[in-house]
C-alpha cells in the first residue's frame, strides 16, 4: 500500500503539487491530466525520485525520504523514452544491470536474464545492440529491465506516447499480464477502461478520484 | 560523484566521438581543413567544469586506447599512443581541466572574451605546452623544431577556441550547468552501489 | 558495441589474454627505447613483422597501421637528418615503426570488451583506496551505449537546420546538441537511480 499524507511538492521555487492525501492499494490505477498538471511529478513521488517538500510518502510503511533504496526495490519505474533508460550497449547487459547492483552471483544473473528475455518474447535478443532495435523493441527491453528486479509496484510514466498503436498494444498487453500493482500515467484514456481507479490531476491538485467511467467524464469536462 | 555526474562524463565522451565524425571545417582564410574534435576538450571543460570535463576526456582517451576508432578520420587503438604526437591526445585531459577551471572562476560574469581566454588557455597554450615537449622528447628533436612544426595548427585552433567560446556562452544561457547543480532535483541521486 | 578496430582471427595472438599482451607491449617498448642501436630497432621491427604474419595479417593491414603516423615520422626523420646524423634518423624511424606496429597489433588482436574488462580487473585492487570501480565501469558502458545515439542526434540537428533553410555552422550544430545531451543526462540519471 502506498500512502501519501499532506504532500506538497515544489520544484525550482514553484509549487507543482499540493494538498495530496490519499492511499493507493488497487491493482490498476490510472493517472491523467493535462501537460503540466503535476501527474508526472506525482508518479516520481511514489518511488522517491522526487521527495515531497512537505508531508510524507510511504510504501508499505517505508518512507521514501528515509528508505529510498528499499522503496525503489518495491516500486519499479518505466519512463516515456526508452532511449534514456537503457544504459548498457547490449540487451543482455542492460537486463543484468539492476541485478548486478543487488550483488547476485553471475550464474544466477544469467539465468534470470534468460528467463526474462523469454517472458517478454525477446528470445535471441541478449547480444543485440540496443541502438539497432526499433522503438517498440526498446520500450519492451526497458520494461523487461524494470521487471527483472521483481518489484511489487510498477509505475509507468506515459510509456506508450512515443510508440505506434501496435507497439503500444504490445507494451500494454505485457503490463496487463502482470500480477503487480500498476500505476499508469497516460494521455491515452482508452488504456484505462478496465482499471480499478483513475486519478485526474489539474493544476497541481487532485481534481477527481473515481472509477474509470466517472473520472474520464470529469477529465473530458476539464480538458474541454 | 552522483549518478548524474557519471552520466554527464559519459555523454561528453560520446560527444567527442560525434565531433570526430563531423566533416572537417573548411576555413577559407587558412586553407587548412580543421577537425571539430579538438573543440571537445574546450567544450567539456567549459560546460561541465574542470573535474567532470577532465574525467570525460580521460574516459574518451581510454575508449580510444581500448581499440575504438573514435579519433577524427576513424583512427584509434594503442598505436596512436605509441606515436610521437600522443602528447596532444593526453593533453586533452589537462586542456579540459584548465578550461573548466578558468570558466568556473569567471562563471558569474562569463562573456565571450573570458570564455575565449579560457578555451585558448586550456585548449591551446596548455595543450601545446604538453604536446610540443612530448614530440621533442620522444622524437629526439629540439623544442624549437617541434614548436615550428606544430605552429601550423595554431590559426585553426584559435578559430576553434572562438567557436567553442561562443558555444559555451550560448549553452550557459540556455542551460547553465556549472552552478545549476540540482536546482530542482531533491532526491538523493548518488550511491548507486 | 560500435565496431572496434579488432580483426577477428584464431591465431595464438588472438587467444592470448589482453593483460598479457599489454604487459608484453610495455616490455617491448621499454627495451626498444633503452637500447640506442639501429640494429636492435631493426630486429624489433622484424619481430613485429613476423607477429603480423603469425596473426594472419597481410601487407595491407600492416601498412594501414603506419599511415596515421607516417607524415609526422617523415618530418621528424628529415629534422634528424638535418640536425643530426643519418644513423639517428634511421634509429628514430625504425623505433617508432616497431612501436606503433606493435601497439597496433595488440589492438588488432584484442576485442575492446576484453581490454575494458582487463582494465577493470587491474583497477579493482584500487577499490581499497576509495576508487569506485563500479562507477568507472558504468561510465565506460554508458559512453559506448550512447556514442551511436549522440551521433544520431547530431545528424537530426543538422537535418532540422537544413530543413529550415540554414547552412549549419559548427556553433549552431553544437549548441542544440549539447543542450539536448544535458537534458538527456537528467533523465538517464533518474532511470539509473530508479533501477539501483
Amino acid at each position: 500500500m502506498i500512502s501519501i499524507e499532506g504532500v506538497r511538492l515544489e520544484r525550482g521555487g514553484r509549487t507543482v503539487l499540493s494538498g495530496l492525501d490519499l492511499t493507493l492499494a488497487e491493482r490498476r490505477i490510472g493517472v491523467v491530466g493535462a501537460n503540466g498538471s503535476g501527474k508526472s511529478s506525482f508518479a516520481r513521488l511514489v518511488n522517491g525520485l522526487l521527495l515531497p517538500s512537505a508531508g510524507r510518502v510511504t510504501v508499505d510503511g517505508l518512507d521514501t525520504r528515509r528508505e529510498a533504496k528499499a522503496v525503489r526495490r518495491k516500486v519499479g519505474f518505466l519512463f516515456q523514452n526508452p532511449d534514456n533508460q537503457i544504459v548498457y550497449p547490449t540487451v543482455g547487459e542492460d537486463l543484468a544491470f539492476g541485478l548486478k547492483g543487488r550483488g547476485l552471483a553471475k550464474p544466477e544473473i544469467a539465468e534470470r536474464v534468460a528467463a526474462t528475455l523469454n517472458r517478454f518474447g525477446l528470445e535471441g535478443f541478449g547480444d543485440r545492440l540496443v541502438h539497432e532495435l526499433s522503438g517498440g523493441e526498446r520500450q519492451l527491453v526497458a520494461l523487461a529491465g524494470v521487471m527483472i528486479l521483481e518489484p511489487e509496484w510498477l509505475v509507468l510514466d506515459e510509456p506508450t506516447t512515443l510508440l505506434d498503436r501496435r507497439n503500444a498494444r504490445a507494451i500494454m498487453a505485457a503490463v496487463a499480464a502482470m500480477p503487480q500493482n500498476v500505476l499508469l500515467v497516460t494521455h491515452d484514456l482508452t488504456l484505462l477502461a478496465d482499471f480499478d481507479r483513475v486519478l485526474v490531476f489539474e493544476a497541481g491538485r487532485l481534481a477527481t478520484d473515481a472509477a474509470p467511467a466517472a473520472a474520464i467524464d470529469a477529465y473530458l469536462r476539464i480538458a474541454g | 560523484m552522483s549518478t548524474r555526474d557519471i552520466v554527464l562524463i559519459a555523454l561528453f565522451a560520446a560527444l567527442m566521438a560525434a565531433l570526430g565524425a563531423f566533416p572537417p571545417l573548411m576555413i577559407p582564410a587558412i586553407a587548412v581543413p580543421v577537425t571539430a574534435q579538438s573543440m571537445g576538450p574546450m567544450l567539456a571543460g567549459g560546460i561541465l567544469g574542470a573535474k567532470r570535463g577532465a574525467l570525460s576526456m580521460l574516459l574518451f582517451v581510454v575508449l580510444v586506447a581500448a581499440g575504438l576508432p573514435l579519433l577524427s578520420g576513424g583512427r584509434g587503438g594503442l598505436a596512436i599512443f605509441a606515436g610521437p604526437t600522443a602528447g596532444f591526445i593526453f593533453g586533452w585531459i589537462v586542456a579540459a581541466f584548465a578550461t573548466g577551471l578558468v570558466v568556473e572562476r569567471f562563471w558569474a560574469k562569463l562573456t565571450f572574451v573570458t570564455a575565449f581566454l579560457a578555451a585558448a588557455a586550456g585548449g591551446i597554450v596548455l595543450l601545446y605546452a604538453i604536446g610540443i615537449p612530448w614530440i621533442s622528447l620522444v622524437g629526439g628533436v629540439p623544442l624549437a623544431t617541434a614548436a615550428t612544426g606544430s605552429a601550423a595548427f595554431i590559426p585553426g585552433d584559435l578559430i576553434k577556441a572562438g567557436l567553442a567560446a561562443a558555444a559555451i556562452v550560448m549553452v550557459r544561457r540556455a542551460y547553465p550547468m556549472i552552478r545549476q547543480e540540482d536546482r530542482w532535483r531533491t532526491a538523493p541521486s548518488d550511491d548507486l552501489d | 558495441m560500435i565496431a572496434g578496430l579488432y580483426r577477428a582471427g584464431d591465431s595464438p595472438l588472438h587467444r592470448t589474454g589482453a593483460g598479457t599482451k599489454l604487459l608484453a607491449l610495455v616490455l617491448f617498448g621499454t627495451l626498444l627505447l633503452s637500447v640506442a642501436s639501429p640494429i636492435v630497432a631493426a630486429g624489433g621491427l622484424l619481430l613485429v613483422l613476423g607477429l603480423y604474419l603469425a596473426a594472419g595479417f597481410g601487407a595491407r593491414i600492416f601498412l594501414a597501421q603506419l599511415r596515421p603516423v607516417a607524415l609526422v615520422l617523415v618530418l621528424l626523420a628529415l629534422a634528424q637528418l638535418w640536425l643530426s646524423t643519418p644513423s639517428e634518423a634511421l634509429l628514430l624511424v625504425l623505433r617508432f615503426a616497431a612501436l606503433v606496429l606493435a601497439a597496433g597489433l595488440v589492438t588488432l588482436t584484442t576485442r575492446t570488451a576484453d581490454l575494458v574488462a582487463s582494465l577493470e580487473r587491474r583497477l579493482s585492487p584500487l577499490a581499497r583506496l576509495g576508487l569506485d570501480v563500479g562507477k568507472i565501469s558504468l561510465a565506460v558502458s554508458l559512453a559506448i551505449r550512447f556514442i551511436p545515439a549522440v551521433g544520431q542526434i547530431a545528424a537530426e540537428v543538422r537535418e532540422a537546420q537544413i530543413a529550415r533553410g540554414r547552412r549549419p555552422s559548427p556553433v549552431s550544430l553544437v549548441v542544440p546538441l549539447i543542450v539536448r545531451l544535458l537534458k538527456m543526462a537528467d533523465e538517464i540519471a533518474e532511470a539509473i537511480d530508479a533501477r539501483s
Side-chain angles (χ1 to χ4, degrees), chain B residues 76-84, chain C residues 5 13 21 24-26 28-29 32 41-53 55 57-70 73 92-110:
Chain B
L78 287 167
I80 299 294
F81 299 92
Chain C
L5 298 164
L13 263 171
K21 278 183 274 192
L25 179 64
V26 170
F28 179 72
L32 209 60
L45 186 57
L46 276 176
L47 174 69
V48 177
L49 189 65
L51 289 173
Y52 268 79
L53 292 175
F57 298 137
R60 210 171 50 82
I61 292 179
F62 183 84
L63 291 175
Q65 297 303 303
L66 281 176
R67 217 179 31 146
V69 290
L73 221 50
L92 180 93
V93 170
L94 289 174
R95 260 183 183 172
F96 269 114
L99 205 56
V100 165
L101 285 164
L105 189 60
V106 175
T107 300
L108 285 166
T109 59
T110 318

Side-chain angles (χ1 to χ4, degrees), chain B residues 126-165:
Chain B
L126 255 158
L127 187 66
Y128 282 67
I130 295 167
I132 291 172
W134 192 291
I135 295 181
S136 160
L137 204 70
V138 301
V141 292
L143 265 181
T145 314
T148 320
S150 309
F153 296 97
I154 289 182
D157 283 344
L158 281 170
I159 290 168
K160 277 183 269 189
L163 295 174

Side-chain angles (χ1 to χ4, degrees), chain A residues 132-197:
Chain A
E132 289 173 2
L133 304 180
S134 73
E137 288 166 341
R138 279 184 225 189
Q139 190 59 294
L140 205 55
V141 169
L143 179 61
V146 175
M147 297 316 291
I148 198 170
L149 299 173
E150 300 177 346
E152 294 165 30
W153 279 83
L154 174 62
V155 178
L156 305 102
D157 187 8
E158 303 191 32
T160 59
T161 308
L162 299 175
L163 303 179
D164 62 29
R165 297 195 69 81
R166 194 174 58 85
N167 283 315
R169 270 203 302 277
I171 291 288
M172 290 315 296
V175 170
M178 286 170 188
Q180 276 87 354
N181 289 9
V182 167
L183 185 81
L184 171 65
V185 178
T186 185
H187 280 297
D188 185 352
L189 302 174
T190 61
L191 302 178
L192 303 175
D194 56 355
F195 270 43
D196 303 315
R197 180 180 178 187

Side-chain angles (χ1 to χ4, degrees), chain B residues 139 141, chain C residues 70-86 88-90 92-93:
Chain B
V141 292
Chain C
L71 180 65
V72 181
L73 221 50
V74 168
L75 289 176
L76 281 175
L78 288 176
Q80 288 283 4
L81 274 178
W82 186 48
L83 295 163
S84 150
T85 63
E88 284 289 310
L90 185 65
L92 180 93
V93 170

Side-chain angles (χ1 to χ4, degrees), chain A residues 44 83-84 86 88 94 129, chain C residues 1 141 145 187 190 195:
Chain A
R44 281 163 171 74
D83 280 341
N84 296 344
I86 303 175
Y88 273 74
D94 193 73
L129 292 175
Chain C
M1 189 172 306
S141 300
R145 153 83 178 92
E187 284 180 34
E190 231 178 19
R195 280 206 285 166

